[in-house]
Amino acid sequence: MAFVQMPTQKTDKFNELLRRSQEIEGLRLTDAIPKHLYTPRVWRGMLSFVVSYALYIGAVVAVAHVHWAFYLPLWLIAGLGGWGLFCVAHDCGHNSFSRNRSFNHILGHIALLPLLYPFHGWRHMHNMHHANTNNLEMDVDWRPVLRVQYDAMPWWDKLVYSSTRTWLFWLGTVNYQRHSGFRPEMFPKLEARNEVRRSILFMAVAAVIYLPTLVYFTGFTGLFLYFVAPWLAIHAWFSLTTMMHHISDETPFLTKEHWSFNSSRLLLTTDYMYPKWLLFLTHYISVHTAHHVAPIIPHYNLPEAQAALKSAFPGMVREKPLTVQDVWHVARHCHLYDPVNGFYESFDRSPAAGDTRTGYSGPLTMKQQALRSYMSVLGSLAPDRAGARATDLFGYTREYIKQPDKEMSPLGAQRFHIKGIPGVPHGYQWGTGEQTILLVHGWGADSRSMYSFTRVLQRQGFKVATFDAPAHGISPGSLSTMTEFKDAVKAAIVALGDVVGIVAHSLGGIAATGALAELAETHRIKAMCLLGSPANLPVVIDRWANGYLQLKPQIVQAMHRELWKRNGVPVQHWDIPALGNALQLPMLVLHDQEDPTVPFCEAQQITTLMPWAKLEPVSGLGHVRILSDAAVLEQVARFLAENIKVAEVAQASA
C-alpha cells in the first residue's frame, strides 16, 4: 500500500492536520507532563480493581435473584464492571499499575478472567497499536481498508468486517480477541510467543474449571445468563470505547508518507467526556490522548496529565461529549479508507434516488448492511435461493408508501370499475369530457403522485383517470411484477373505453408501453408522455443490484431466471423502444438531465431508437418533482391536446 500516494486530493482539513503534525515534529511531548504523575500508587490501583470486580460479581449474582426484566440492565452493569477490569489489566500491560513487572502480569491475568482473554496476547498486540496508532499500513486497532481490498476479501472476512463496522460494531472486539489472544505465531520474538502460550494455558485451565462447574450447577441457561451475556456486554463497552477513540471524520488513518509518531499520539485520538461517575468506573480510559502520549501514567493521573497537555498544546487535544449521534454517524458512514480525501467513505456511495427499483437512496443503514451481508452469504451457498430472495426485494412496493388504513376517494373523483385484476377493483376519474387521459404512476408510488395533472388536463377538455397498480396504494399486497402492472394498465384502458392519451412516470412507462403493445389495434391511444422513464428493465435490475446490496453476478442471473418465471416473459421483453416501435405514437419524453434515479441517457436511448419521440430535457426537478412542476404540467397538457387533435383530423380526413 505504501507505494501509492494517498490521499490523492488533500482537503483543507487534511492539510491542517499535516500542518499541526509538522508543528509538533521533534518535540518531546512527555516533557509537558509533570513528573510526579508517572508514579503509581498501588493502593489506588487496587481500589479500582476491587470496585470493578465487585460491580461485575454483584451484577452477575443479582441476575440470579431478579425478574427477567432486569437482566439487560444488570448485564450492562456487569459489562461495565468487566470493562473496568479490562482497564485495570490495561494499566498492568503498560506497567503503570506498579513498578513490579511480575505483579502486573499476575494481576492482569486475573483481571481478564471475565473475558477469558489471554493477557500476554492482548498485551503484545496492544503494544503494536501504540507503536503505530492510526497508521494505515501497521495499526491493528480498527484500521480501515480500501474498497478494492474489501471487495477482494473472502466472503467470511467481508461479512465480519462489514457487520462489525455497522450494525454489530458493539461486538467488534470479539474478532480482535480471536486474532490477538490465541495466535502466538503472530509475534516474531520467541519470548513473546512463549508468554502468549502461557496466557492461553492459564485461560484454558480457568475455562475448564469454571465453565463446566457453572453448567453443572445452573445448566446451559446459567452459562448464558452468568457468563456469555456478561461477556458480550464487556465486549460492547470495549468495542464502543475503542471504536470512538480511533474512528472519526476528524482523525484519519495516515500512510507512512504522512504519519509521524508525535501526531499519532497527540492528534489522532478523540477523547469523549463522560460523567464523573462513569469516568471513575471506567478508570479514565476515555482520557485517551494523555495515555497515548505517556502510556506509563497510571489511569487515575490521566486527567491531570491531559490538562497539562492541553495547556502546552492549545487546540490540539480533541475532546467532546459522547452522543448517540456520534456513534450513529460512525456506524453509518465511517467504513472504508477514502484514498481521495484521506478520511472515510461509507460502504455505499450511490447517489440519492426516489424509486426503489432504480437505485439506492441515501446512506447505508444498519438494516441494509445486514441485508447485504446476508445476501452475500446466501449467494455463495445457494445462488438460486438468493436470486428468489433478491427478486422479492426487487418486487417490493412498500418501501416508501405504505398501504393506507382505509380508502378515501380523491376530491371530485368518481370511481370506474376495473375487471379481472385481483386487488384492483376500481380507479378514479375526474371531468366530463368525451376523451380520457390515463395517468400511470411509478413503481413504489401510487395514484396520488399523479394528481397534479388532473386540473391542467381537464382545462384542455379531457377526462382524467388513474388507479393504484397491484400492491401499490390502496391495492393489497406488497409484492408485484411487471406483468401484473402491465395487465392492470391494460384492464384500465379497456374499462374506460375512451382513453386517447397516457401520461406515465418511471417504470409505469414500461408497463404502459407493454399494455399498448398487447392491445395493438384495439386501443384508441393517440399520444403518450413519459416522465423519468427507464428505457428497459434489464438496466434497471443491474443498477438496483449494484446499489446497496452489491449483488454478485450469479445472483443477478438467478434473478433473471426467477423474473422470467414470475412474469412469463424474459426481462429483455420489457423494453420501451422494442415494445413501442410498432405503435408509432407521438411521444413526449421529459427527463431531468441530472435525474439521480434514472440517468438521462436512458431518455436519449428511447428517443434515439424511436425517432418520432420528442425529448425535452428539464433541470433541477430530479425524479419526483418533475410530476408537480407547473411548466412540465402545461407542456404535457399542451402536447397531448395538440397531437390528439392532429391525429383526429388525420383520421377524419382518411
Side-chain angles (χ1 to χ4, degrees):
M1 199 185 307
F3 66 91
V4 181
Q5 288 287 337
M6 295 185 293
T8 57
Q9 298 177 15
K10 297 184 179 70
T11 62
D12 291 342
K13 183 167 64 173
F14 192 88
N15 285 327
E16 174 62 17
L17 177 67
L18 295 184
R19 185 193 66 76
R20 292 188 172 198
S21 178
Q22 292 169 0
E23 190 176 326
I24 60 175
E25 190 63 29
L27 299 180
R28 284 176 55 90
L29 303 181
T30 53
D31 288 347
I33 301 174
K35 300 304 178 187
H36 72 275
L37 297 179
Y38 291 85
T39 303
R41 289 169 284 161
V42 177
W43 71 266
R44 178 61 181 82
M46 288 303 298
L47 174 64
S48 297
F49 176 79
V50 171
V51 167
S52 291
Y53 246 123
L55 194 64
Y56 173 78
I57 294 173
V60 170
V61 171
V63 169
H65 297 88
V66 299
H67 188 270
W68 63 265
F70 295 96
Y71 285 175
L72 182 58
L74 285 172
W75 286 333
L76 291 175
I77 293 171
L80 178 58
W83 173 234
L85 288 169
F86 185 95
C87 296
V88 170
H90 181 255
D91 267 22
C92 293
H94 286 293
N95 287 309
S96 60
F97 191 92
S98 77
R99 290 294 174 256
N100 187 315
R101 182 182 176 89
S102 297
F103 177 75
N104 290 338
H105 291 180
I106 292 171
L107 193 71
H109 280 81
I110 297 172
L112 290 184
L113 279 172
L115 274 176
L116 291 181
Y117 199 154
F119 172 76
H120 285 304
W122 165 79
R123 181 173 71 87
H124 288 299
M125 184 68 78
H126 187 65
N127 286 339
M128 293 171 63
H129 163 63
H130 270 269
N132 302 282
T133 304
N134 281 49
N135 185 311
L136 189 62
E137 287 94 357
M138 299 296 293
D139 199 359
V140 293
D141 285 13
W142 295 101
R143 175 166 56 93
V145 299
L146 290 157
R147 184 176 295 275
V148 65
Q149 294 172 309
Y150 173 76
D151 290 339
M153 286 180 178
W155 71 268
W156 173 252
D157 290 342
K158 185 180 290 187
L159 175 63
V160 171
Y161 183 91
S162 61
S163 59
T164 55
R165 295 276 169 163
T166 52
W167 62 284
L168 273 182
F169 72 86
W170 52 281
L171 290 182
T173 52
V174 173
N175 190 52
Y176 184 78
Q177 177 174 345
R178 179 174 69 92
H179 279 289
S180 64
F182 301 93
R183 298 174 64 188
E185 70 277 4
M186 289 184 61
F187 307 105
K189 292 184 178 180
L190 177 62
E191 180 185 1
R193 293 197 297 272
N194 288 336
E195 285 180 332
V196 174
R197 291 188 182 102
R198 287 196 294 271
S199 286
I200 294 173
L201 179 62
F202 174 82
M203 288 301 170
V205 171
V208 167
I209 294 173
Y210 177 61
L211 297 183
T213 303
L214 186 62
V215 171
Y216 179 80
F217 286 105
T218 66
F220 286 101
T221 300
L223 177 67
F224 176 79
L225 293 176
Y226 311 131
F227 176 74
V228 175
W231 183 85
L232 292 172
I234 297 171
H235 270 294
W237 284 96
F238 189 180
S239 299
L240 175 64
T241 304
T242 55
M243 179 183 78
M244 297 308 293
H245 280 161
H246 296 294
I247 299 181
S248 166
D249 281 338
E250 305 296 327
T251 54
F253 276 68
L254 302 174
T255 59
K256 71 176 184 180
E257 290 81 11
H258 304 301
W259 185 88
S260 70
F261 189 53
N262 273 0
S263 66
S264 74
R265 294 190 294 168
L266 187 65
L267 303 178
L268 297 179
T269 296
T270 303
D271 298 345
Y272 289 92
M273 296 297 96
Y274 297 167
K276 289 184 178 180
W277 64 269
L278 189 56
L279 276 173
F280 174 76
L281 293 177
T282 57
H283 310 314
Y284 305 96
I285 193 67
S286 65
V287 186
H288 211 58
T289 298
H291 167 68
H292 268 272
V293 170
I296 196 65
I297 293 179
H299 65 267
Y300 38 83
N301 288 338
L302 287 174
E304 193 174 343
Q306 184 98 321
L309 288 173
K310 289 163 64 177
S311 176
F313 305 102
M316 292 196 179
V317 176
R318 287 178 45 78
E319 289 182 337
K320 60 185 299 188
L322 180 63
T323 65
V324 174
Q325 289 82 358
D326 290 321
V327 179
W328 184 249
H329 178 81
V330 168
R332 291 189 68 185
H333 299 292
C334 299
H335 303 148
L336 301 165
Y337 177 78
D338 189 339
V340 177
N341 62 36
F343 289 87
Y344 288 92
E345 64 177 349
S346 64
F347 284 118
D348 196 295
R349 294 175 297 173
S350 301
D355 190 322
T356 59
R357 303 288 69 79
T358 49
Y360 168 62
S361 176
L364 203 66
T365 66
M366 292 186 182
K367 179 181 177 181
Q368 289 166 336
Q369 181 57 45
L371 188 57
R372 174 197 279 186
S373 300
Y374 166 73
M375 292 300 296
S376 177
V377 174
L378 187 61
S380 299
L381 301 176
D384 286 340
R385 186 175 176 185
R389 178 66 180 126
T391 303
D392 289 341
L393 295 171
F394 183 77
Y396 184 65
T397 60
R398 303 293 185 180
E399 184 77 16
Y400 297 110
I401 301 178
K402 306 303 180 185
Q403 183 178 0
D405 293 331
K406 62 179 180 178
E407 180 180 7
M408 296 182 64
S409 295
L411 187 65
Q414 295 181 335
R415 294 184 180 182
F416 69 93
H417 296 288
I418 299 175
K419 297 180 180 179
I421 306 298
V424 188
H426 57 260
Y428 310 108
Q429 190 173 28
W430 295 261
T432 57
E434 296 181 355
Q435 298 173 318
T436 298
I437 304 297
L438 179 64
L439 309 176
V440 182
H441 63 75
W443 197 279
D446 60 24
S447 58
R448 291 175 295 178
S449 66
M450 308 299 290
Y451 287 176
S452 54
F453 288 95
T454 57
R455 288 190 178 182
V456 69
L457 289 170
Q458 285 182 78
R459 287 201 297 267
Q460 293 288 348
F462 296 113
K463 289 186 292 186
V464 184
T466 188
F467 66 97
D468 288 330
H472 290 75
I474 198 64
S475 302
S478 59
L479 291 176
S480 190
T481 66
M482 283 303 300
T483 294
E484 292 173 345
F485 201 166
K486 174 265 300 177
D487 287 344
V489 176
K490 186 169 68 171
I493 293 172
V494 172
L496 290 163
D498 58 356
V499 178
V500 293
I502 290 180
V503 180
H505 178 236
S506 196
L507 279 177
I510 295 181
T513 308
L516 294 184
E518 288 194 6
L519 288 170
E521 301 298 327
T522 63
H523 69 77
R524 298 173 55 192
I525 311 298
K526 297 178 173 63
M528 188 174 186
C529 292
L530 300 179
L531 296 95
S533 290
N536 58 68
L537 189 60
V539 73
V540 173
I541 294 171
D542 287 344
R543 193 161 52 246
W544 178 82
N546 286 306
Y548 76 85
L549 285 176
Q550 294 289 298
L551 296 180
K552 299 175 181 178
Q554 61 264 35
I555 300 179
V556 178
Q557 293 167 7
M559 273 188 72
H560 280 237
R561 294 191 295 270
E562 184 68 22
L563 284 166
W564 191 342
K565 184 191 306 182
R566 298 185 188 188
N567 282 291
V569 292
V571 293
Q572 291 79 7
H573 169 81
W574 305 107
D575 185 295
I576 287 179
L579 293 168
N581 251 312
L583 302 175
Q584 296 285 317
L585 286 176
M587 183 179 291
L588 176 65
V589 179
L590 286 146
H591 210 110
D592 193 294
Q593 296 178 83
E594 297 179 354
D595 188 326
T597 304
V598 180
F600 182 68
C601 62
E602 300 217 25
Q604 293 174 311
Q605 181 180 346
I606 292 172
T607 53
T608 298
L609 296 175
M610 302 171 68
W612 60 91
K614 180 183 180 182
L615 175 60
E616 287 288 348
V618 298
S619 298
L621 299 179
H623 191 64
V624 177
R625 286 199 300 122
I626 196 172
L627 298 176
S628 57
D629 180 74
V632 169
L633 300 180
E634 290 291 344
Q635 192 172 6
V636 167
R638 190 166 54 250
F639 175 85
L640 290 172
E642 291 174 355
N643 283 275
I644 290 170
K645 184 176 181 179
V646 168
E648 289 175 341
V649 170
Q651 188 176 8
S653 61

